[in-house]
Amino acid sequence: MARVVTVGYCLLVFFGNGIVLAASSGQQLRPGEATETHSCNHVRHPPAELSDPQVMRPNGENITFYQKYTEAYGIPILGSSNVTDDALKRACYTVRYLFAGHSGIRAMFYKFGGRFAIMSATEVTLDFPEFSSWDPFWNSRARGLGASWTTPLTTGAEENLLCQRNDRYHPEDIFLHESAHAVDLIGAWAAIPGFRPAVNNAFRHANVTGLWDNTYAATNALEYWAEGVQSYFNVNTKGPSGGNGIHNDIATRDKLRDYDPTLFKLIQEAFPCKNTYLKRCESTREMENNEVLQMNCNSDDHSYRMRVLAILSAKDPSCQDTRPLDCLHWSLSGECENNPGYMLGNCKASCKVCSPSNCYDENDNCPGWSRSGECEKNPAYMLWNCRLSCRQCTRTTADPLVG
C-alpha cells in the first residue's frame, strides 16, 4: 500500500520500503526528443538552450558555472572550466552505454530534464549551482549524487571517473552507481509499467529473507537497485561472505544471477542489450569512442509512456490526479473500470475523463477503426482506447466504457 506525503507542490509516493519518486501535475518537460547519436569525443561550451530554466531546472540562472559540455542522445554532460575533457568524455561514455539499450528509458530521462555534471578534484558538491543551497555536510559526505525528481542532476567526480589513486572510492565505479539511480528514478519508472513497485517488492523480499544483510544494498530499495547494477556490470567491490557493512561477495553478474534472480531480471529489463561495459581503469577514450553499442533491444510500451507524459504535463486544474503515480498504476491495472466511483473522481487524468487537451488515442489505427464504425461495434475497447477518434473527449463524469 502506498503512503503519500505532500511537500510544497510535489507529491512523494512511497511503496513499501522504497520511494517511488516525487511527482506533480503541470510538470515542465524538456523540449524536443532524445536522439540515437552522441558527440562524446567533442567537448565544447554549453549551447545557449542550457540557460533555459525549463531545461535546467532548478537554478537555471546560474548556468555560467558550467563552461564545458558534451552529450549522449541529447542528454547533457557538464562541467566547470576546472574539469578535464577526459573526465567529461569518460562520463559521456557511461551515459551512452547505460541509455543505449532501452529506448523508453532514454526518451523519458530526456523529457524529464535528466542531465549529468562532473566535479574536479578541487571542487565539492555545493559548487554545483543546483546544490548551492544544501547543507555543507554534503561537501564531505558525497563525491557524487544520483538524480532526483526535483533536481534531475546526477553528479560524479573526476578522480573516480579517471581511476586516479586519490579517489576515496578507488575500487568502485561510483559514477555508474549514481547513474543507476538516475536510470531508475528519472527513466525506468516512467518507461516500464510497474517497474518501481517491482523493485520495492524485490527489496522487501530480500530484506525479509536477510539476503543483503550487513551490506549497503540493505539500506533501502534505491540502494538495493544501484548496488545491484554495479554488480551486474562487474564494477562493484568484493567483500567477505556475509558482508562487512558495505559489501558482500556478490560483486559480479554471474554471482548476482544466482544469488538474487529477481533483482537480476529487473536490471536486465532496464538494460536489455548485451553490450560490454569498458571499465574505467582498463579502457581509453579512444576505445570508448570506437565501441559500437547495440541499441533499442527493449519491447517499448509507447502507450504507457504517452499516458505518463499526459498525466504529468496536465495543466488543467480541473483535471488532475489526486495521487498521480498511484492513479497511473491503478488505471493500468483496470481500476478505472472496476472501481469507477473512486477512480473517476480522484484519478481523472489517468482515467482519461478530462478536457480535450488531455484526450488522446492509444493506438495509431483508431481513426481508421472509427471511420469503419468500430466505436459502435466494439465500444468496450474503442471508447476507452480511442477516445479522441470516438469523440469521447468531453465526457467528465460518466463511465467512459458506456456509450
Side-chain angles (χ1 to χ4, degrees), residues 65-97:
F65 172 79
Y66 296 116
Q67 294 294 310
K68 291 187 174 184
Y69 158 88
T70 188
E71 57 78 32
Y73 315 126
I75 298 168
I77 298 96
L78 298 154
S80 74
S81 58
N82 297 320
V83 179
T84 65
D85 289 3
D86 241 21
L88 290 169
K89 291 176 182 179
R90 171 63 197 187
C92 190
Y93 166 74
T94 300
V95 173
R96 181 166 76 96
Y97 181 91

PDB file of all heavy atoms in Angstrom, residues 65-97:
ATOM      1  N   PHE A  65      28.246  28.712 -14.278  1.00  0.00           N
ATOM      2  CA  PHE A  65      29.207  27.805 -13.639  1.00  0.00           C
ATOM      3  C   PHE A  65      29.700  26.769 -14.641  1.00  0.00           C
ATOM      4  O   PHE A  65      30.865  26.367 -14.623  1.00  0.00           O
ATOM      5  CB  PHE A  65      28.548  27.108 -12.446  1.00  0.00           C
ATOM      6  CG  PHE A  65      29.389  26.019 -11.836  1.00  0.00           C
ATOM      7  CD1 PHE A  65      30.435  26.319 -10.979  1.00  0.00           C
ATOM      8  CD2 PHE A  65      29.135  24.683 -12.124  1.00  0.00           C
ATOM      9  CE1 PHE A  65      31.220  25.310 -10.422  1.00  0.00           C
ATOM     10  CE2 PHE A  65      29.909  23.668 -11.569  1.00  0.00           C
ATOM     11  CZ  PHE A  65      30.951  23.989 -10.712  1.00  0.00           C
ATOM     12  N   TYR A  66      28.805  26.334 -15.503  1.00  0.00           N
ATOM     13  CA  TYR A  66      29.150  25.287 -16.461  1.00  0.00           C
ATOM     14  C   TYR A  66      29.800  25.904 -17.701  1.00  0.00           C
ATOM     15  O   TYR A  66      29.182  26.690 -18.417  1.00  0.00           O
ATOM     16  CB  TYR A  66      27.902  24.497 -16.853  1.00  0.00           C
ATOM     17  CG  TYR A  66      27.294  23.740 -15.691  1.00  0.00           C
ATOM     18  CD1 TYR A  66      26.021  24.045 -15.219  1.00  0.00           C
ATOM     19  CD2 TYR A  66      28.002  22.722 -15.058  1.00  0.00           C
ATOM     20  CE1 TYR A  66      25.466  23.349 -14.149  1.00  0.00           C
ATOM     21  CE2 TYR A  66      27.458  22.026 -13.988  1.00  0.00           C
ATOM     22  CZ  TYR A  66      26.191  22.344 -13.541  1.00  0.00           C
ATOM     23  OH  TYR A  66      25.653  21.656 -12.480  1.00  0.00           O
ATOM     24  N   GLN A  67      31.038  25.537 -17.929  1.00  0.00           N
ATOM     25  CA  GLN A  67      31.801  26.068 -19.053  1.00  0.00           C
ATOM     26  C   GLN A  67      32.166  24.996 -20.073  1.00  0.00           C
ATOM     27  O   GLN A  67      32.676  25.317 -21.148  1.00  0.00           O
ATOM     28  CB  GLN A  67      33.081  26.735 -18.538  1.00  0.00           C
ATOM     29  CG  GLN A  67      32.841  27.976 -17.699  1.00  0.00           C
ATOM     30  CD  GLN A  67      32.244  29.111 -18.513  1.00  0.00           C
ATOM     31  OE1 GLN A  67      32.738  29.450 -19.584  1.00  0.00           O
ATOM     32  NE2 GLN A  67      31.152  29.687 -18.019  1.00  0.00           N
ATOM     33  N   LYS A  68      31.906  23.737 -19.738  1.00  0.00           N
ATOM     34  CA  LYS A  68      32.214  22.642 -20.652  1.00  0.00           C
ATOM     35  C   LYS A  68      30.997  21.737 -20.798  1.00  0.00           C
ATOM     36  O   LYS A  68      30.218  21.566 -19.853  1.00  0.00           O
ATOM     37  CB  LYS A  68      33.409  21.832 -20.149  1.00  0.00           C
ATOM     38  CG  LYS A  68      34.734  22.580 -20.208  1.00  0.00           C
ATOM     39  CD  LYS A  68      35.898  21.658 -19.857  1.00  0.00           C
ATOM     40  CE  LYS A  68      37.230  22.355 -20.046  1.00  0.00           C
ATOM     41  NZ  LYS A  68      38.385  21.435 -19.808  1.00  0.00           N
ATOM     42  N   TYR A  69      30.909  21.127 -21.983  1.00  0.00           N
ATOM     43  CA  TYR A  69      29.699  20.355 -22.301  1.00  0.00           C
ATOM     44  C   TYR A  69      30.013  19.304 -23.356  1.00  0.00           C
ATOM     45  O   TYR A  69      30.798  19.529 -24.279  1.00  0.00           O
ATOM     46  CB  TYR A  69      28.636  21.320 -22.825  1.00  0.00           C
ATOM     47  CG  TYR A  69      27.542  20.714 -23.676  1.00  0.00           C
ATOM     48  CD1 TYR A  69      26.378  20.202 -23.108  1.00  0.00           C
ATOM     49  CD2 TYR A  69      27.667  20.678 -25.066  1.00  0.00           C
ATOM     50  CE1 TYR A  69      25.363  19.663 -23.901  1.00  0.00           C
ATOM     51  CE2 TYR A  69      26.657  20.147 -25.865  1.00  0.00           C
ATOM     52  CZ  TYR A  69      25.510  19.641 -25.276  1.00  0.00           C
ATOM     53  OH  TYR A  69      24.514  19.115 -26.059  1.00  0.00           O
ATOM     54  N   THR A  70      29.407  18.149 -23.197  1.00  0.00           N
ATOM     55  CA  THR A  70      29.272  17.188 -24.277  1.00  0.00           C
ATOM     56  C   THR A  70      27.921  16.513 -24.098  1.00  0.00           C
ATOM     57  O   THR A  70      27.168  16.872 -23.177  1.00  0.00           O
ATOM     58  CB  THR A  70      30.443  16.190 -24.315  1.00  0.00           C
ATOM     59  OG1 THR A  70      30.336  15.393 -25.502  1.00  0.00           O
ATOM     60  CG2 THR A  70      30.464  15.291 -23.091  1.00  0.00           C
ATOM     61  N   GLU A  71      27.578  15.561 -24.953  1.00  0.00           N
ATOM     62  CA  GLU A  71      26.242  14.975 -24.841  1.00  0.00           C
ATOM     63  C   GLU A  71      26.208  13.568 -25.409  1.00  0.00           C
ATOM     64  O   GLU A  71      27.003  13.205 -26.281  1.00  0.00           O
ATOM     65  CB  GLU A  71      25.201  15.846 -25.546  1.00  0.00           C
ATOM     66  CG  GLU A  71      25.456  16.114 -27.030  1.00  0.00           C
ATOM     67  CD  GLU A  71      25.094  14.974 -27.963  1.00  0.00           C
ATOM     68  OE1 GLU A  71      24.138  14.233 -27.647  1.00  0.00           O
ATOM     69  OE2 GLU A  71      25.767  14.809 -28.995  1.00  0.00           O
ATOM     70  N   ALA A  72      25.254  12.797 -24.902  1.00  0.00           N
ATOM     71  CA  ALA A  72      24.918  11.493 -25.451  1.00  0.00           C
ATOM     72  C   ALA A  72      23.406  11.433 -25.586  1.00  0.00           C
ATOM     73  O   ALA A  72      22.686  11.626 -24.597  1.00  0.00           O
ATOM     74  CB  ALA A  72      25.414  10.370 -24.543  1.00  0.00           C
ATOM     75  N   TYR A  73      22.919  11.238 -26.798  1.00  0.00           N
ATOM     76  CA  TYR A  73      21.484  11.166 -27.100  1.00  0.00           C
ATOM     77  C   TYR A  73      20.762  12.472 -26.785  1.00  0.00           C
ATOM     78  O   TYR A  73      19.557  12.486 -26.540  1.00  0.00           O
ATOM     79  CB  TYR A  73      20.827  10.011 -26.336  1.00  0.00           C
ATOM     80  CG  TYR A  73      21.614   8.731 -26.380  1.00  0.00           C
ATOM     81  CD1 TYR A  73      21.976   8.067 -25.205  1.00  0.00           C
ATOM     82  CD2 TYR A  73      22.026   8.185 -27.595  1.00  0.00           C
ATOM     83  CE1 TYR A  73      22.716   6.895 -25.241  1.00  0.00           C
ATOM     84  CE2 TYR A  73      22.773   7.014 -27.636  1.00  0.00           C
ATOM     85  CZ  TYR A  73      23.113   6.375 -26.458  1.00  0.00           C
ATOM     86  OH  TYR A  73      23.856   5.217 -26.492  1.00  0.00           O
ATOM     87  N   GLY A  74      21.496  13.587 -26.764  1.00  0.00           N
ATOM     88  CA  GLY A  74      20.918  14.873 -26.401  1.00  0.00           C
ATOM     89  C   GLY A  74      20.915  15.126 -24.911  1.00  0.00           C
ATOM     90  O   GLY A  74      20.500  16.200 -24.463  1.00  0.00           O
ATOM     91  N   ILE A  75      21.371  14.171 -24.114  1.00  0.00           N
ATOM     92  CA  ILE A  75      21.441  14.314 -22.656  1.00  0.00           C
ATOM     93  C   ILE A  75      22.746  15.028 -22.306  1.00  0.00           C
ATOM     94  O   ILE A  75      23.828  14.549 -22.653  1.00  0.00           O
ATOM     95  CB  ILE A  75      21.383  12.936 -21.971  1.00  0.00           C
ATOM     96  CG1 ILE A  75      20.052  12.247 -22.281  1.00  0.00           C
ATOM     97  CG2 ILE A  75      21.594  13.071 -20.470  1.00  0.00           C
ATOM     98  CD1 ILE A  75      20.015  10.778 -21.897  1.00  0.00           C
ATOM     99  N   PRO A  76      22.687  16.174 -21.621  1.00  0.00           N
ATOM    100  CA  PRO A  76      23.903  16.952 -21.361  1.00  0.00           C
ATOM    101  C   PRO A  76      24.810  16.312 -20.302  1.00  0.00           C
ATOM    102  O   PRO A  76      24.342  15.762 -19.303  1.00  0.00           O
ATOM    103  CB  PRO A  76      23.363  18.290 -20.847  1.00  0.00           C
ATOM    104  CG  PRO A  76      21.915  18.313 -21.215  1.00  0.00           C
ATOM    105  CD  PRO A  76      21.472  16.887 -21.200  1.00  0.00           C
ATOM    106  N   ILE A  77      26.119  16.427 -20.538  1.00  0.00           N
ATOM    107  CA  ILE A  77      27.149  16.118 -19.544  1.00  0.00           C
ATOM    108  C   ILE A  77      27.972  17.388 -19.405  1.00  0.00           C
ATOM    109  O   ILE A  77      28.565  17.858 -20.381  1.00  0.00           O
ATOM    110  CB  ILE A  77      28.029  14.924 -19.959  1.00  0.00           C
ATOM    111  CG1 ILE A  77      27.184  13.649 -20.081  1.00  0.00           C
ATOM    112  CG2 ILE A  77      29.129  14.707 -18.932  1.00  0.00           C
ATOM    113  CD1 ILE A  77      26.723  13.344 -21.472  1.00  0.00           C
ATOM    114  N   LEU A  78      28.007  17.968 -18.203  1.00  0.00           N
ATOM    115  CA  LEU A  78      28.516  19.316 -17.985  1.00  0.00           C
ATOM    116  C   LEU A  78      29.647  19.342 -16.965  1.00  0.00           C
ATOM    117  O   LEU A  78      29.785  18.438 -16.139  1.00  0.00           O
ATOM    118  CB  LEU A  78      27.383  20.216 -17.492  1.00  0.00           C
ATOM    119  CG  LEU A  78      26.204  20.398 -18.454  1.00  0.00           C
ATOM    120  CD1 LEU A  78      24.937  20.725 -17.687  1.00  0.00           C
ATOM    121  CD2 LEU A  78      26.521  21.490 -19.464  1.00  0.00           C
ATOM    122  N   GLY A  79      30.427  20.417 -17.010  1.00  0.00           N
ATOM    123  CA  GLY A  79      31.469  20.631 -16.019  1.00  0.00           C
ATOM    124  C   GLY A  79      31.935  22.070 -16.048  1.00  0.00           C
ATOM    125  O   GLY A  79      31.695  22.803 -17.021  1.00  0.00           O
ATOM    126  N   SER A  80      32.610  22.481 -14.991  1.00  0.00           N
ATOM    127  CA  SER A  80      33.213  23.811 -14.964  1.00  0.00           C
ATOM    128  C   SER A  80      34.492  23.795 -15.795  1.00  0.00           C
ATOM    129  O   SER A  80      34.916  22.750 -16.311  1.00  0.00           O
ATOM    130  CB  SER A  80      33.531  24.212 -13.524  1.00  0.00           C
ATOM    131  OG  SER A  80      34.667  23.490 -13.057  1.00  0.00           O
ATOM    132  N   SER A  81      35.134  24.944 -15.876  1.00  0.00           N
ATOM    133  CA  SER A  81      36.395  25.024 -16.623  1.00  0.00           C
ATOM    134  C   SER A  81      37.509  24.239 -15.946  1.00  0.00           C
ATOM    135  O   SER A  81      38.546  23.974 -16.561  1.00  0.00           O
ATOM    136  CB  SER A  81      36.807  26.492 -16.782  1.00  0.00           C
ATOM    137  OG  SER A  81      36.947  27.110 -15.506  1.00  0.00           O
ATOM    138  N   ASN A  82      37.305  23.837 -14.678  1.00  0.00           N
ATOM    139  CA  ASN A  82      38.334  23.085 -13.952  1.00  0.00           C
ATOM    140  C   ASN A  82      38.338  21.598 -14.295  1.00  0.00           C
ATOM    141  O   ASN A  82      39.303  20.894 -13.986  1.00  0.00           O
ATOM    142  CB  ASN A  82      38.123  23.233 -12.439  1.00  0.00           C
ATOM    143  CG  ASN A  82      38.271  24.661 -11.968  1.00  0.00           C
ATOM    144  OD1 ASN A  82      39.148  25.384 -12.430  1.00  0.00           O
ATOM    145  ND2 ASN A  82      37.404  25.082 -11.058  1.00  0.00           N
ATOM    146  N   VAL A  83      37.267  21.107 -14.887  1.00  0.00           N
ATOM    147  CA  VAL A  83      37.139  19.678 -15.180  1.00  0.00           C
ATOM    148  C   VAL A  83      37.851  19.365 -16.490  1.00  0.00           C
ATOM    149  O   VAL A  83      37.703  20.081 -17.482  1.00  0.00           O
ATOM    150  CB  VAL A  83      35.655  19.272 -15.267  1.00  0.00           C
ATOM    151  CG1 VAL A  83      35.512  17.792 -15.606  1.00  0.00           C
ATOM    152  CG2 VAL A  83      34.942  19.588 -13.955  1.00  0.00           C
ATOM    153  N   THR A  84      38.613  18.286 -16.508  1.00  0.00           N
ATOM    154  CA  THR A  84      39.335  17.926 -17.726  1.00  0.00           C
ATOM    155  C   THR A  84      38.382  17.362 -18.774  1.00  0.00           C
ATOM    156  O   THR A  84      37.345  16.776 -18.448  1.00  0.00           O
ATOM    157  CB  THR A  84      40.418  16.874 -17.438  1.00  0.00           C
ATOM    158  OG1 THR A  84      39.792  15.659 -17.014  1.00  0.00           O
ATOM    159  CG2 THR A  84      41.384  17.362 -16.365  1.00  0.00           C
ATOM    160  N   ASP A  85      38.757  17.521 -20.019  1.00  0.00           N
ATOM    161  CA  ASP A  85      37.967  16.949 -21.107  1.00  0.00           C
ATOM    162  C   ASP A  85      37.882  15.433 -20.970  1.00  0.00           C
ATOM    163  O   ASP A  85      36.846  14.825 -21.282  1.00  0.00           O
ATOM    164  CB  ASP A  85      38.588  17.302 -22.457  1.00  0.00           C
ATOM    165  CG  ASP A  85      38.436  18.775 -22.811  1.00  0.00           C
ATOM    166  OD1 ASP A  85      37.896  19.538 -21.982  1.00  0.00           O
ATOM    167  OD2 ASP A  85      38.862  19.158 -23.917  1.00  0.00           O
ATOM    168  N   ASP A  86      38.968  14.819 -20.513  1.00  0.00           N
ATOM    169  CA  ASP A  86      38.997  13.368 -20.363  1.00  0.00           C
ATOM    170  C   ASP A  86      37.885  12.876 -19.436  1.00  0.00           C
ATOM    171  O   ASP A  86      37.240  11.857 -19.703  1.00  0.00           O
ATOM    172  CB  ASP A  86      40.355  12.930 -19.807  1.00  0.00           C
ATOM    173  CG  ASP A  86      41.091  12.004 -20.755  1.00  0.00           C
ATOM    174  OD1 ASP A  86      40.757  12.014 -21.960  1.00  0.00           O
ATOM    175  OD2 ASP A  86      41.987  11.280 -20.293  1.00  0.00           O
ATOM    176  N   ALA A  87      37.678  13.587 -18.326  1.00  0.00           N
ATOM    177  CA  ALA A  87      36.649  13.177 -17.365  1.00  0.00           C
ATOM    178  C   ALA A  87      35.258  13.284 -17.982  1.00  0.00           C
ATOM    179  O   ALA A  87      34.407  12.404 -17.786  1.00  0.00           O
ATOM    180  CB  ALA A  87      36.740  14.031 -16.106  1.00  0.00           C
ATOM    181  N   LEU A  88      35.003  14.348 -18.729  1.00  0.00           N
ATOM    182  CA  LEU A  88      33.701  14.514 -19.366  1.00  0.00           C
ATOM    183  C   LEU A  88      33.474  13.449 -20.433  1.00  0.00           C
ATOM    184  O   LEU A  88      32.363  12.926 -20.580  1.00  0.00           O
ATOM    185  CB  LEU A  88      33.588  15.907 -19.976  1.00  0.00           C
ATOM    186  CG  LEU A  88      33.481  17.059 -18.969  1.00  0.00           C
ATOM    187  CD1 LEU A  88      33.635  18.390 -19.673  1.00  0.00           C
ATOM    188  CD2 LEU A  88      32.165  17.007 -18.216  1.00  0.00           C
ATOM    189  N   LYS A  89      34.519  13.109 -21.159  1.00  0.00           N
ATOM    190  CA  LYS A  89      34.386  12.076 -22.187  1.00  0.00           C
ATOM    191  C   LYS A  89      34.097  10.714 -21.564  1.00  0.00           C
ATOM    192  O   LYS A  89      33.291   9.941 -22.089  1.00  0.00           O
ATOM    193  CB  LYS A  89      35.656  12.023 -23.035  1.00  0.00           C
ATOM    194  CG  LYS A  89      35.858  13.238 -23.923  1.00  0.00           C
ATOM    195  CD  LYS A  89      37.190  13.158 -24.668  1.00  0.00           C
ATOM    196  CE  LYS A  89      37.432  14.395 -25.520  1.00  0.00           C
ATOM    197  NZ  LYS A  89      38.732  14.334 -26.234  1.00  0.00           N
ATOM    198  N   ARG A  90      34.767  10.406 -20.455  1.00  0.00           N
ATOM    199  CA  ARG A  90      34.502   9.130 -19.785  1.00  0.00           C
ATOM    200  C   ARG A  90      33.070   9.091 -19.246  1.00  0.00           C
ATOM    201  O   ARG A  90      32.366   8.086 -19.377  1.00  0.00           O
ATOM    202  CB  ARG A  90      35.491   8.903 -18.643  1.00  0.00           C
ATOM    203  CG  ARG A  90      35.167   7.701 -17.758  1.00  0.00           C
ATOM    204  CD  ARG A  90      35.212   6.382 -18.518  1.00  0.00           C
ATOM    205  NE  ARG A  90      34.519   5.315 -17.783  1.00  0.00           N
ATOM    206  CZ  ARG A  90      34.506   4.039 -18.143  1.00  0.00           C
ATOM    207  NH1 ARG A  90      35.143   3.656 -19.231  1.00  0.00           N
ATOM    208  NH2 ARG A  90      33.852   3.142 -17.437  1.00  0.00           N
ATOM    209  N   ALA A  91      32.625  10.198 -18.641  1.00  0.00           N
ATOM    210  CA  ALA A  91      31.249  10.259 -18.146  1.00  0.00           C
ATOM    211  C   ALA A  91      30.262  10.082 -19.291  1.00  0.00           C
ATOM    212  O   ALA A  91      29.250   9.378 -19.162  1.00  0.00           O
ATOM    213  CB  ALA A  91      31.007  11.586 -17.436  1.00  0.00           C
ATOM    214  N   CYS A  92      30.561  10.698 -20.419  1.00  0.00           N
ATOM    215  CA  CYS A  92      29.680  10.595 -21.580  1.00  0.00           C
ATOM    216  C   CYS A  92      29.599   9.154 -22.064  1.00  0.00           C
ATOM    217  O   CYS A  92      28.523   8.679 -22.459  1.00  0.00           O
ATOM    218  CB  CYS A  92      30.185  11.515 -22.685  1.00  0.00           C
ATOM    219  SG  CYS A  92      29.038  11.719 -24.065  1.00  0.00           S
ATOM    220  N   TYR A  93      30.716   8.443 -22.021  1.00  0.00           N
ATOM    221  CA  TYR A  93      30.686   7.032 -22.415  1.00  0.00           C
ATOM    222  C   TYR A  93      29.746   6.237 -21.508  1.00  0.00           C
ATOM    223  O   TYR A  93      28.942   5.423 -21.983  1.00  0.00           O
ATOM    224  CB  TYR A  93      32.081   6.411 -22.366  1.00  0.00           C
ATOM    225  CG  TYR A  93      32.026   4.901 -22.444  1.00  0.00           C
ATOM    226  CD1 TYR A  93      31.743   4.266 -23.647  1.00  0.00           C
ATOM    227  CD2 TYR A  93      32.188   4.114 -21.297  1.00  0.00           C
ATOM    228  CE1 TYR A  93      31.640   2.878 -23.716  1.00  0.00           C
ATOM    229  CE2 TYR A  93      32.087   2.733 -21.359  1.00  0.00           C
ATOM    230  CZ  TYR A  93      31.814   2.119 -22.569  1.00  0.00           C
ATOM    231  OH  TYR A  93      31.695   0.754 -22.639  1.00  0.00           O
ATOM    232  N   THR A  94      29.838   6.455 -20.198  1.00  0.00           N
ATOM    233  CA  THR A  94      28.972   5.731 -19.267  1.00  0.00           C
ATOM    234  C   THR A  94      27.505   6.035 -19.537  1.00  0.00           C
ATOM    235  O   THR A  94      26.658   5.137 -19.541  1.00  0.00           O
ATOM    236  CB  THR A  94      29.330   6.080 -17.811  1.00  0.00           C
ATOM    237  OG1 THR A  94      30.690   5.712 -17.558  1.00  0.00           O
ATOM    238  CG2 THR A  94      28.430   5.353 -16.824  1.00  0.00           C
ATOM    239  N   VAL A  95      27.186   7.298 -19.775  1.00  0.00           N
ATOM    240  CA  VAL A  95      25.809   7.682 -20.098  1.00  0.00           C
ATOM    241  C   VAL A  95      25.374   7.019 -21.406  1.00  0.00           C
ATOM    242  O   VAL A  95      24.270   6.462 -21.505  1.00  0.00           O
ATOM    243  CB  VAL A  95      25.688   9.214 -20.197  1.00  0.00           C
ATOM    244  CG1 VAL A  95      24.305   9.624 -20.700  1.00  0.00           C
ATOM    245  CG2 VAL A  95      25.974   9.859 -18.839  1.00  0.00           C
ATOM    246  N   ARG A  96      26.228   7.072 -22.401  1.00  0.00           N
ATOM    247  CA  ARG A  96      25.912   6.450 -23.694  1.00  0.00           C
ATOM    248  C   ARG A  96      25.641   4.961 -23.525  1.00  0.00           C
ATOM    249  O   ARG A  96      24.692   4.417 -24.094  1.00  0.00           O
ATOM    250  CB  ARG A  96      27.080   6.675 -24.657  1.00  0.00           C
ATOM    251  CG  ARG A  96      26.865   6.091 -26.042  1.00  0.00           C
ATOM    252  CD  ARG A  96      27.882   6.638 -27.034  1.00  0.00           C
ATOM    253  NE  ARG A  96      29.194   6.058 -26.901  1.00  0.00           N
ATOM    254  CZ  ARG A  96      29.637   5.027 -27.633  1.00  0.00           C
ATOM    255  NH1 ARG A  96      28.840   4.444 -28.515  1.00  0.00           N
ATOM    256  NH2 ARG A  96      30.865   4.577 -27.479  1.00  0.00           N
ATOM    257  N   TYR A  97      26.460   4.318 -22.723  1.00  0.00           N
ATOM    258  CA  TYR A  97      26.308   2.882 -22.509  1.00  0.00           C
ATOM    259  C   TYR A  97      24.995   2.562 -21.788  1.00  0.00           C
ATOM    260  O   TYR A  97      24.224   1.702 -22.216  1.00  0.00           O
ATOM    261  CB  TYR A  97      27.491   2.355 -21.693  1.00  0.00           C
ATOM    262  CG  TYR A  97      27.421   0.872 -21.444  1.00  0.00           C
ATOM    263  CD1 TYR A  97      28.007  -0.026 -22.321  1.00  0.00           C
ATOM    264  CD2 TYR A  97      26.743   0.365 -20.337  1.00  0.00           C
ATOM    265  CE1 TYR A  97      27.922  -1.394 -22.112  1.00  0.00           C
ATOM    266  CE2 TYR A  97      26.649  -0.992 -20.115  1.00  0.00           C
ATOM    267  CZ  TYR A  97      27.239  -1.870 -21.004  1.00  0.00           C
ATOM    268  OH  TYR A  97      27.139  -3.216 -20.797  1.00  0.00           O
TER     269      TYR A  97
END
